[in-house]
Amino acid sequence: MKELEQYIRNIPDFPEPGIQFKDITPLIKEPKILKLSVKKLIAPFLNEKLTAIAGMEARGFIFGSLAAWELGISFIPLRKPHKLPYNVEALSYDLEYGSAALEIHVDALGKNDRVLLVDDLIATGGTAAASCKLIEKLGAKIMGCAFIIELDFLNGRDKLSKYHIHSLIHY
Ligand code: AMP
């Protein structure tokens, strides 16, 4: 998707040597491109009777909130530990180096919810897989996962093989 790709800035060696950081700030700075990217993100899921978008801290909040607004449905935040004030479900997962954790409010979703998970980028897939597990722990159904960017060479979608994965830009 060349139209969008030109708005992704590559920052070499950020936040550490060897990482090619994909910076989405040029894309969200451009109103028409931001709108186009949100529309394209949700396009395959318009007939899925979604009830909520779930987005991961922090860049998942940007695209996830806009997607929820566009569809007129709920936005549910998945946050880093100790940020959510009410009772939470929590899950730790492995990163390339070390580990991380995400939390969701226990009453955020239930068995009648049909959820689209949204983030800016899928790399190893660990964050998205943990998010899906948390959402399912609350009894909700994952209808798909949507990303602006997918780093194909990290095979993140292998961790999400039972879900419909949709990415706009592939590297
Ligand atoms: P992963 O769990 O490995 O799929 O990592 C995905 C999460 O880390 C997403 O929330 C991304 O925002 C962030 N991330 C990982 N790698 C990159 C990268 N090369 N550029 C920008 N963000 C990244």
Side-chain angles (χ1 to χ4, degrees), residues 9-11 14-15 18-24 56-60 80 93-96 100 118-130 147 149 151 153-154 156 159-160:
R9 177 163 56 187
N10 191 66
I11 312 282
F14 181 89
I19 304 290
Q20 302 287 326
F21 192 88
K22 304 299 179 197
D23 176 18
I24 49 89
M56 299 85 120
E57 185 172 355
R59 290 180 296 277
K80 290 169 186 163
Y93 58 97
D94 292 330
L95 295 175
E96 272 176 285
V118 168
D119 203 358
D120 68 326
L121 182 146
I122 176 169
T124 66
T127 309
F147 307 93
I149 302 164
L151 302 183
F153 54 93
L154 292 174
K159 289 199 182 78
L160 302 161

Side-chain angles (χ1 to χ4, degrees), residues 100-156:
L102 279 175
E103 296 183 349
I104 190 168
H105 272 152
V106 288
D107 62 352
L109 294 162
K111 63 177 174 39
N112 295 325
D113 282 303
R114 298 165 65 84
V115 182
L116 177 65
L117 184 73
V118 168
D119 203 358
D120 68 326
L121 182 146
I122 176 169
T124 66
T127 309
S131 301
C132 288
K133 275 189 201 142
L134 274 178
I135 290 164
E136 287 174 339
K137 247 183 175 177
L138 300 185
K141 191 166 163 45
I142 307 277
M143 305 314 296
C145 306
F147 307 93
I148 301 292
I149 302 164
E150 178 167 356
L151 302 183
D152 292 342
F153 54 93
L154 292 174
N155 302 313

Side-chain angles (χ1 to χ4, degrees), residues 27-44:
L27 183 148
I28 62 176
K29 187 179 166 187
E30 220 43 66
K32 285 199 179 105
I33 299 300
L34 175 58
K35 192 159 203 156
L36 178 70
S37 60
V38 172
K39 282 189 183 289
K40 286 188 183 291
L41 210 50
I42 59 178

